[in-house]
């Protein structure tokens, strides 16, 4: 609705009311934003390039110098309160109230960066000492080191223009890891925030106060965290210990087991009680042996009656007669079968021909000898295994991929959150904003915003890169919400984030 | 040279009124008789009238009637001469001089010498392994040597590794038994507290890895007992093996000799086995070749099956004289867990990385109870399968006892079992055997 033009030309400069022609011109302006083309990387001193540059600069200047035209009735009036660094709304808020601003004491307030952004959009007109502020004034007054810096505002504006909902980050409102574990229902964070605001003199001092509290909270969390750390990262070494000890046990338990040559061996242990047994003197102990080995008495004298049960008397035994009766069944084998038997047994050598075996006088020593012989299993060439540098792994033994990788690994893998609880926050690196999804604006409640989509930490492109400690601390502080680093390079913003991942280690876990 | 002396005099029957035959035996001769097999045949009774005699090492009391049921094969040996009456009609009865009893006695004397030396030197006594093919009289020789040892005052241990014809417990098991008195003439050794391990079938070939493992377990337990008990250590042990002497059976014998650390191996009537053992065992093991007795009878398959059946029936119902009263009750499927030892073998290429074929043969495979469980003998393991570790030890643990499934009802998920003790089952881990028993009385 165009107001009638009552002013004269002299007052035009100060008057915001436009003439119909101006209004029409403003209305019919093209609302297209010029498209940014590809960047010219280096000057080549050509006229064409210079002309192009000039043209784009002029376009840019004309765009920026455009006057914003807005309906007076649409503008929300507000006042700037430099003591509290807050903007107080005089007229009721518009659509932006869904996602921005807060109310306390019955009055509606806006944060400075929100106010500045809304000024740029043309929704809010901020007065200071009865005078409306220009954009430049707004930049100068609202953005300071106490509130939100220029770079942070740039990020804020960029994200808001994309449609995200951006709120300031308050570390004290973040639930600790213990609370997260308990999985409590979401409490009303908004109420807490307003209370804090009421208590404190300025938002910044409240922030520093809450930050002083959070180290104390972190101390509590520390006592909880070592448990969880023990649970997660100590499990693999515990499992390893258990497997090693059980392997030892099995080796200790299997004593006096002997597997013949050619089988897999288990280490045999001798118990303390098994001293060297005396050898039975078979020259005095007569066994009636009908085989080729032992002595072959033709007849045996009656045994000593002390050895026999009472009332038993025995006579002379004629051994020779029995010899003929042994195994009268003759195994008839054809020539082929006989050859097969011979072939099967061609490798059989009398083990007693072995000198070392002859030196053993009882089973214990014999088992020792076998164990020693099988300590170096076949398939292990001496030149490989006896040198200074051994092969990594014995190919005859099974090994899973994970264990093999463990053997050759130089760096141990770690998680981003390892040891994060113990880090103190650095001053220059802090999370500035909570960013919420744009498509949830419909059911977004300021009193209960829910879990943010990401958290922003703003830094400059020319500044230092965050180191591992900073990343750990920020990730830990953020909890389960990813942290994104917004790097500002003179108005161009790039977003970076660090993610935890694991290299695949095993085919069969 | 072997003379058969037979004297048959039919005297007037004494007051009992039964017809009998009288045998007069000279010294170092034996009377052998067999009772006809089959349910219809009657029993044969034997009485020692004068003199002294023994049956497989156990002395006979004078003027006491010993009863022998169908299928018995008995030899009565006398050292000094005696007179024996036989009541009833045995299938065959004769006297023979052709017995290797003197050789066996000399063997016992040599073992006793070893025991004396062990006692003197405070060391362990001789461990003997009896090997040989089937039907040479291994069990009899074991019984003989054990009875003689007990008669001299020793406490030997009997280790039964014959899973087909077990002398201690039901077939399909390996066991160890401490012998404290000579075998009873009719019943055999008194089985008071044997140590029994579940094997599962009547031939070791079905799961040779398990057989070897159980042999090692028994050896370990025996060694521990020897450490605890001085008398048992001096007494030593006598191991009865099964009749498989080729291939894996032979390897099992060598393994057994090694784990038990035997000192003497008695080979019965197999020269080739004797030579092989002499070659494969270290020199400090004495391998002795002994002949088999002429009275040894080859048993048919039928006969063996009947003996096995008889052994299981004896477990539940007791020996003829003393009757046991087994209980029959119902067991829910959900109350018990039934396992089988040994997964079916799969080719090596199909096995997961790092796993070998050995593991599958000792694995515990759960069995879902069904109709085909009927008539199977189940062992009640002494270990509860609480967690993974306990389950691994079930294979190596002894069993408490045995039950037979008489009926299975899949609809109500209940099975009826025959058990030596009243309900409830002492443990709920059951191991299934390949042996079946039909309870027909």
């Amino acid at each position: 609705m165009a107001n009638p033009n009552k002013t004269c030309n002299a007052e035009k400069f100060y008057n915001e009311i436009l003439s119909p022609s101006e209004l029409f011109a403003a209305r019919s302006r093209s609302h297209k934003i010029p498209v940014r083309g590809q960047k010219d990387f280096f000057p080549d001193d050509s006229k064409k390039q210079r002309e192009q540059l000039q043209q784009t600069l002029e376009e840019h200047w004309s765009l920026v110098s455009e006057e914003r035209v807005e309906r007076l009735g649409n503008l929300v009036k507000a006042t700037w309160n430099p003591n509290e660094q807050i903007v107080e709304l005089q007229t009721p808020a518009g659509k932006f109230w869904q996602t921005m601003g807060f109310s306390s004491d019955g009055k509606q307030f806006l944060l400075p960066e929100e106010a500045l952004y809304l000024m740029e959009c043309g929704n809010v007109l901020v007065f200071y000492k009865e005078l409306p502020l220009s954009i430049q004034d707004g930049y100068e007054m609202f953005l300071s080191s106490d509130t939100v810096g220029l770079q942070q505002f740039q990020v804020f504006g960029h994200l808001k223009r994309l449609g995200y909902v951006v709120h300031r980050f308050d570390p004290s409102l973040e639930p600790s890891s213990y609370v997260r574990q308990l999985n409590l229902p979401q409490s009303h964070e908004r109420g807490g925030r307003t209370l804090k605001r009421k208590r404190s003199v300025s938002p910044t001092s409240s922030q520093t106060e809450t930050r002083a509290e959070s180290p104390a909270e972190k101390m509590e969390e520390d006592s909880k965290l070592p448990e969880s750390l023990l649970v997660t990262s100590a499990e693999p070494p515990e499992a390893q210990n258990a497997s090693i000890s059980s392997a030892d046990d099995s080796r200790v338990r299997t004593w006096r087991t002997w597997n013949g040559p050619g089988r897999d061996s288990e280490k045999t242990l001798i118990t303390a009680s098994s001293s060297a047994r005396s050898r039975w003197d078979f020259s005095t102990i007569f066994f009636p042996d009908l085989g080729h080995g032992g002595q072959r008495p033709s007849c045996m004298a009656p045994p000593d009656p002390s050895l026999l049960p009472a009332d038993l008397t025995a006579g002379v035994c004629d051994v020779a007669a029995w010899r003929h009766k042994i195994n009268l069944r003759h195994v008839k084998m054809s020539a082929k079968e006989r050859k097969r038997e011979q072939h099967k047994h061609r490798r059989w050598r009398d083990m007693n021909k072995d000198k070392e075996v002859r030196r053993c006088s009882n089973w214990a020593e014999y088992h020792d000898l076998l164990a020693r012989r099988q300590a170096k299993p076949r398939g292990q060439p001496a030149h490989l295994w006896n040198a200074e540098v051994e092969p990594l792994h014995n190919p005859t033994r099974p090994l899973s991929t994970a264990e093999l990788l463990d053997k050759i690994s130089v760096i141990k893998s770690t998680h981003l959150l390892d040891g994060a609880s113990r880090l103190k926050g650095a001053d220059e690196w802090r999370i500035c904003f909570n960013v919420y999804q744009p498509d949830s604006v419909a059911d977004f409640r300021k009193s209960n915003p829910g879990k943010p989509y990401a958290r922003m930490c703003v830094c400059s492109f020319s500044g230092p890169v965050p180191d591992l400690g900073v990343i750990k601390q920020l990730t830990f502080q953020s909890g389960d919400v990813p942290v994104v680093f917004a790097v500002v390079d003179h108005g161009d913003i790039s977003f970076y984030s660090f993610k935890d991942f694991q290299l695949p280690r095993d085919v069969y876990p | 040279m072997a003379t058969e002396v037979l004297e048959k005099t039919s005297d007037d029957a004494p007051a009992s009124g039964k017809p009998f035959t009288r045998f007069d035996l000279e010294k170092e001769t034996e009377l052998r008789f067999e009772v006809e097999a089959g349910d219809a045949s009657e029993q044969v009774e034997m009485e020692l009238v004068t003199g002294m005699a023994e049956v497989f090492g156990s002395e006979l009391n004078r003027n006491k009637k010993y009863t022998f049921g169908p299928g018995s094969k008995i030899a009565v040996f006398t050292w000094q001469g005696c007179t024996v009456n036989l009541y009833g009609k045995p299938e065959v009865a004769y006297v023979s001089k052709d017995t290797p009893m003197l050789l066996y006695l000399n063997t016992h004397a040599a073992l006793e010498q070893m025991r004396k030396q062990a006692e003197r030197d405070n060391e362990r006594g001789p461990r003997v392994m009896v090997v040989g093919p089937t039907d040479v009289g291994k069990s009899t020789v074991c019984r003989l040597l054990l009875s003689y040892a007990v008669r001299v005052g020793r406490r030997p241990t009997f280790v039964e590794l014959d899973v087909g014809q077990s002398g201690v417990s039901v077939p399909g098991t390996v066991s160890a038994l401490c012998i404290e008195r000579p075998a009873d003439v009719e019943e055999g050794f008194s089985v008071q507290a044997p140590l029994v391990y579940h094997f599962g079938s009547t031939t070791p070939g079905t799961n040779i890895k398990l057989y070897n493992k159980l042999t090692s377990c028994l050896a370990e337990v025996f060694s521990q007992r020897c450490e605890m008990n001085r008398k048992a250590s001096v007494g030593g042990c006598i191991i009865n093996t099964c009749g498989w002497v080729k291939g894996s059976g032979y390897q099992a014998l060598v393994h057994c000799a090694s784990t038990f650390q035997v000192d003497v191996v008695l080979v019965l009537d197999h020269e080739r086995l004797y030579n092989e053992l002499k070659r494969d065992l270290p020199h400090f093991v004495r391998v002795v070749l002994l002949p088999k007795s002429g009275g040894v009878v080859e048993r048919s398959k039928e006969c063996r099956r009947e003996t096995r059946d008889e052994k299981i029936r004896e477990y539940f119902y007791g020996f003829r004289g003393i009757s046991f009263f087994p209980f029959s009750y119902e067991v829910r499927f959900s109350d018990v867990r039934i396992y089988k030892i040994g997964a079916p073998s799969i080719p090596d290429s199909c096995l997961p990385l790092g796993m070998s074929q050995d593991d599958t043969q000792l694995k515990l495979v759960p069995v879902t109870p069904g109709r085909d469980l009927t008539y199977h003998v189940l062992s009640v393991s002494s270990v509860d399968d609480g967690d993974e570790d306990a389950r691994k030890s079930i294979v190596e643990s002894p069993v408490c006892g045995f039950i037979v499934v008489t009926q299975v009802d899949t609809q109500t998920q209940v099975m009826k079992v025959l058990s030596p003790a009243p309900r409830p089952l002492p443990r709920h881990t059951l191991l299934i055997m390949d042996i079946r028993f039909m309870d027909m009385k």
Side-chain angles (χ1 to χ4, degrees):
Chain A
M1 194 165 47
N3 281 337
N5 196 350
K6 290 178 190 155
T7 55
C8 58
N9 275 354
E11 291 178 63
K12 209 180 190 180
F13 191 69
Y14 302 105
N15 206 334
E16 294 154 12
I17 301 172
L18 295 162
S19 60
S21 55
E22 282 175 330
L23 197 62
F24 188 70
R27 276 281 173 88
S28 58
R29 260 194 300 227
S30 134
H31 290 274
K32 270 205 305 189
I33 302 174
V35 171
R36 282 176 167 197
Q38 200 182 25
K39 197 167 153 176
D40 259 341
F41 283 99
F42 54 137
D44 53 3
D45 279 344
S46 65
K47 194 165 166 220
K48 193 169 170 208
Q49 199 187 45
R50 225 180 312 128
E51 278 177 9
Q52 252 183 342
L53 266 172
Q54 197 65 30
Q55 191 181 13
T56 46
L57 274 172
E58 278 171 11
E59 265 182 39
H60 199 75
W61 186 251
S62 62
L63 263 178
V64 173
S65 61
E66 244 179 33
E67 276 189 325
R68 302 285 174 77
V69 177
E70 199 48 63
R71 263 203 212 131
L72 207 57
N74 286 350
L75 287 175
V76 175
K77 299 200 180 29
T79 46
W80 167 241
N81 189 342
N83 295 334
E84 290 196 20
Q85 304 266 311
I86 221 112
V87 172
E88 189 186 324
L89 294 179
Q90 308 298 86
T91 52
K95 203 159 171 234
F96 61 83
W97 188 245
Q98 262 187 343
T99 57
M100 296 203 285
F102 62 97
S103 57
S104 87
D105 265 351
K107 285 186 272 197
Q108 294 177 320
F109 292 95
L110 277 179
L111 290 171
E113 66 269 15
E114 295 171 341
L116 186 56
Y117 172 73
L118 288 170
M119 273 172 64
E120 284 199 309
C121 288
N123 286 344
V124 156
L125 191 56
V126 185
F127 288 88
Y128 183 52
K129 297 198 171 128
E130 313 294 315
L131 285 174
L133 294 173
S134 65
I135 302 287
Q136 190 178 359
D137 286 334
Y139 268 89
E140 270 181 30
M141 298 167 85
F142 293 175
L143 301 182
S144 64
S145 61
D146 292 338
T147 58
V148 167
L150 173 63
Q151 286 175 341
Q152 285 152 354
F153 177 71
Q154 280 176 328
V155 173
F156 178 86
H158 179 90
L159 290 171
K160 288 244 36 126
R161 273 181 278 265
L162 286 173
Y164 289 97
V165 176
V166 186
H167 281 171
R168 274 203 203 166
F169 174 72
D170 191 354
S172 64
L173 289 181
E174 279 312 301
S176 67
S177 66
Y178 179 60
V179 174
R180 260 179 263 138
Q181 265 182 329
L182 291 180
N183 207 14
L184 290 173
Q186 292 282 337
S187 55
H188 280 231
E189 290 176 5
R190 200 66 199 178
R193 205 200 284 198
T194 53
L195 277 170
K196 281 205 160 61
R197 293 241 177 268
K198 273 181 90 176
R199 257 194 285 126
S200 63
V201 172
S202 67
T204 51
S205 58
S206 78
Q207 269 193 2
T208 50
E209 208 183 283
T210 53
R211 280 249 298 277
E213 286 175 18
S214 54
E217 270 181 39
K218 276 187 204 160
M219 292 304 182
E220 284 172 36
E221 293 158 17
D222 248 343
S223 55
K224 296 293 167 213
L225 252 196
E227 289 173 0
S228 57
L229 271 182
L230 270 175
V231 162
T232 52
S233 58
E235 251 176 29
E238 265 179 28
Q240 271 182 10
N241 282 340
S243 63
I244 290 171
S245 58
S246 68
D248 277 340
D249 277 347
S250 66
R251 260 179 262 157
V252 169
R253 252 187 271 123
T254 58
W255 54 299
R256 293 177 194 242
T257 57
W258 172 61
N259 291 311
R263 298 203 206 156
D264 52 342
S265 67
E266 294 171 275
K267 269 198 130 190
T268 52
L269 286 183
I270 317 170
T271 58
S273 63
S274 73
S275 46
R277 310 252 179 256
S278 62
R279 194 168 24 150
W280 309 108
D281 187 10
F282 290 116
S283 53
T284 48
I285 303 173
F286 285 115
F287 271 99
D289 192 0
L290 299 177
H292 304 298
Q295 320 102 311
R296 295 215 246 163
S298 55
C299 34
M300 289 185 71
D304 189 357
S306 66
L307 303 167
L308 300 178
D311 308 332
L312 240 161
T313 50
V316 174
C317 170
D318 186 7
V319 177
W322 282 103
R323 210 161 290 132
H324 299 300
K325 303 209 178 141
I326 289 286
N327 207 359
L328 291 173
R329 267 181 314 171
H330 191 67
V331 178
K332 290 203 185 83
M333 286 195 289
S334 67
K336 218 203 243 178
E337 282 177 351
R338 217 172 296 145
K339 242 191 261 178
R340 212 184 302 148
E341 284 289 319
Q342 274 181 350
H343 182 76
K344 234 194 316 174
H345 300 157
R346 74 191 185 288
R347 286 280 175 88
W348 267 3
R349 272 181 273 278
D350 190 354
M351 66 135 70
N352 288 312
K353 292 214 179 93
D354 193 340
K355 242 196 294 181
E356 286 187 39
V357 175
R358 269 210 294 276
R359 245 184 280 144
C360 300
S361 62
N362 54 43
W363 277 107
E365 293 178 16
Y366 180 67
H367 284 171
D368 264 350
L369 173 67
L370 280 181
R372 261 180 294 144
R373 279 202 186 148
Q374 278 168 0
K376 291 182 289 224
R378 292 174 278 139
Q380 282 194 333
H383 64 272
L384 276 184
W385 287 91
N386 294 343
E388 257 183 34
V389 180
E390 272 189 357
L392 180 67
H393 165 62
N394 182 358
T396 58
R397 241 109 57 80
L399 191 68
S400 70
T401 323
E403 289 167 30
L404 194 62
L405 285 174
D406 262 340
K407 275 192 177 185
I408 59 176
S409 70
V410 175
I411 315 169
K412 291 284 169 219
S413 68
T414 175
H415 290 285
L416 191 54
L417 288 176
D418 283 348
S421 62
R422 286 179 255 117
L423 292 166
K424 295 288 172 231
D427 271 336
E428 56 270 12
W429 295 99
R430 51 191 174 90
I431 300 178
C432 303
F433 300 115
N434 291 342
V435 179
Y436 300 87
Q437 288 269 32
D439 51 356
S440 63
V441 166
D443 43 19
F444 178 81
R445 300 269 168 273
K446 271 190 294 186
S447 50
N448 183 12
K451 200 170 103 154
Y453 174 66
R455 290 199 224 269
M456 282 295 147
C457 177
V458 181
C459 55
S460 160
F461 192 75
S462 50
V465 178
D467 57 4
L468 184 61
V470 165
I471 298 173
K472 280 194 180 204
Q473 186 255 325
L474 292 180
T475 318
F476 177 67
Q477 195 180 31
S478 163
D480 42 2
V481 178
V483 173
V484 179
F485 288 86
V487 180
V488 182
D489 177 20
H490 299 292
D492 275 328
I493 305 177
S494 328
F495 297 98
Y496 295 93
S497 64
F498 293 91
K499 283 208 171 80
D500 220 355
F501 71 100
Q502 253 196 336
L503 285 167
R505 298 175 75 234
D506 204 359
V507 185
Y508 306 105
Chain B
M1 205 178 46
T3 51
E4 304 268 332
V5 173
L6 192 72
E7 269 184 7
K8 202 170 167 178
T9 52
S10 42
D11 273 2
D12 320 66
S16 65
K18 261 174 118 178
F20 69 91
T21 11
R22 184 191 216 101
F23 293 92
D24 286 318
L25 301 172
E26 292 179 0
K27 66 173 206 168
E28 290 171 17
T29 56
E30 70 180 6
L31 164 71
R32 298 176 187 153
F33 63 91
E34 277 179 55
V35 183
E36 201 179 317
D39 299 322
S41 65
E42 19 170 274
Q43 297 166 333
V44 167
E45 286 175 345
M46 190 238 331
E47 188 186 352
L48 176 68
V49 182
T50 58
M52 300 215 316
E54 61 181 36
V55 173
F56 302 141
S58 317
E59 279 188 310
L60 292 175
N61 290 333
R62 238 170 280 162
N63 298 320
K64 177 180 167 169
K65 287 221 176 68
Y66 294 94
T67 325
F68 298 103
S72 312
K73 299 164 180 40
I74 306 293
V76 181
F77 186 85
T78 170
W79 293 102
Q80 293 108 334
C82 68
T83 320
V84 171
N85 283 351
L86 267 187
Y87 300 89
K89 280 193 68 80
E91 192 174 358
V92 56
Y94 63 98
V95 175
S96 166
K97 221 174 155 66
D98 185 21
T99 69
M101 279 300 282
L102 264 173
L103 294 174
Y104 296 153
L105 187 70
N106 277 303
T107 314
H108 158 77
L111 289 178
E112 184 55 31
Q113 258 185 299
M114 291 165 91
R115 289 195 193 106
K116 277 196 143 91
Q117 184 184 337
E119 209 175 12
R120 239 186 359 248
D121 301 341
N122 204 16
E123 291 195 356
R124 64 157 212 229
R127 298 180 181 190
V128 187
M129 190 164 85
V130 180
V131 302
T134 52
D135 292 333
V136 288
K138 290 190 297 293
S139 314
T140 315
V141 167
C142 289
R143 183 169 155 170
L144 198 72
L145 292 173
L146 285 166
S147 294
Y148 280 158
V150 174
R151 278 162 77 178
V152 196
R154 303 290 181 195
R155 292 273 182 276
T157 309
F158 179 39
V159 178
E160 175 70 77
L161 293 181
D162 190 350
V163 283
Q165 306 283 327
S166 175
V168 173
S169 182
V170 301
T173 55
V174 297
S175 40
L177 181 68
C178 299
I179 307 293
E180 290 177 0
R181 60 186 100 93
D184 185 78
V185 176
E186 296 158 319
E187 271 186 61
F189 286 113
S190 69
V191 182
Q192 291 286 35
L195 178 71
V196 180
Y197 287 87
H198 164 102
F199 176 68
S201 83
T202 53
T203 51
T206 43
N207 196 340
I208 198 72
K209 285 258 172 305
L210 179 64
Y211 188 74
N212 286 336
K213 185 112 183 83
L214 292 178
T215 312
S216 311
C217 289
L218 269 175
E220 207 179 303
V221 171
F222 178 64
S223 305
Q224 283 172 2
R225 189 182 151 87
C226 282
E227 281 174 39
M228 298 288 175
N229 190 331
R230 181 79 202 126
K231 246 188 150 210
S233 172
V234 167
C237 73
I238 300 187
I239 308 168
N240 184 22
T241 56
C242 58
W244 188 19
V245 293
K246 288 200 177 60
S248 308
Y250 177 74
Q251 299 295 335
L253 288 179
V254 174
H255 171 81
C256 169
S258 159
T259 48
F260 274 96
Q261 301 194 351
V262 300
D263 303 301
V264 180
V265 177
L266 303 178
V267 183
L268 290 177
D269 197 46
H270 204 277
E271 195 158 3
R272 199 167 124 210
L273 180 65
Y274 168 79
N275 291 327
E276 287 177 2
L277 282 174
K278 268 201 103 65
R279 186 183 43 213
D280 284 333
L281 292 177
H283 62 99
F284 44 82
V285 177
R286 186 93 169 85
V287 185
V288 177
L289 180 61
L290 291 174
K292 71 172 185 185
S293 166
V296 167
V297 177
E298 268 196 37
R299 291 168 292 184
S300 61
K301 263 200 174 149
E302 267 296 320
C303 181
R304 286 173 195 276
R305 210 178 311 134
E306 272 183 28
T307 327
R308 279 200 280 266
D309 241 16
E310 196 51 46
K311 207 80 189 115
I312 304 179
R313 185 162 288 116
E314 259 179 44
Y315 176 79
F316 286 105
Y317 292 100
F319 196 67
R320 272 181 275 123
I322 325 143
S323 298
F324 299 154
F325 300 99
F327 297 81
S328 179
Y329 51 84
E330 292 184 343
V331 172
R332 278 196 296 264
F333 289 172
S334 50
D335 286 341
V336 296
R337 268 186 279 267
I338 308 183
Y339 293 99
K340 182 178 157 67
I341 302 184
S345 62
I346 40 179
D348 274 334
S349 49
C350 299
L351 288 171
L353 182 72
M355 193 170 174
S356 68
Q357 191 69 253
D358 304 352
D359 301 345
T360 58
Q361 281 209 303
L362 298 176
K363 220 163 118 85
L364 218 56
V365 177
V367 171
T368 42
R371 199 51 70 64
D372 52 355
L373 206 62
T374 342
Y375 302 129
H376 274 269
V377 178
L378 305 176
S379 345
V380 181
S381 173
S382 56
V383 170
D384 263 334
D385 61 340
D387 49 1
E388 188 60 46
D389 292 327
R391 228 169 288 146
K392 274 189 213 138
S393 64
I394 287 179
V395 175
E396 303 170 16
S397 311
V399 300
C400 317
F402 305 95
I403 57 176
V404 176
V405 177
T406 48
Q407 235 177 24
V408 169
D409 190 349
T410 42
Q411 276 179 337
T412 50
Q413 298 274 300
V414 146
M415 62 183 174
K416 211 164 184 182
V417 300
L418 182 70
S419 152
R423 71 165 92 213
L425 285 175
R427 300 272 189 277
H428 56 255
T429 311
L430 306 176
L431 298 168
I432 187 170
M433 283 212 204
D434 273 345
I435 299 163
R436 292 195 214 212
F437 173 66
M438 275 192 233
D439 185 16
M440 295 175 293
K441 243 195 142 190

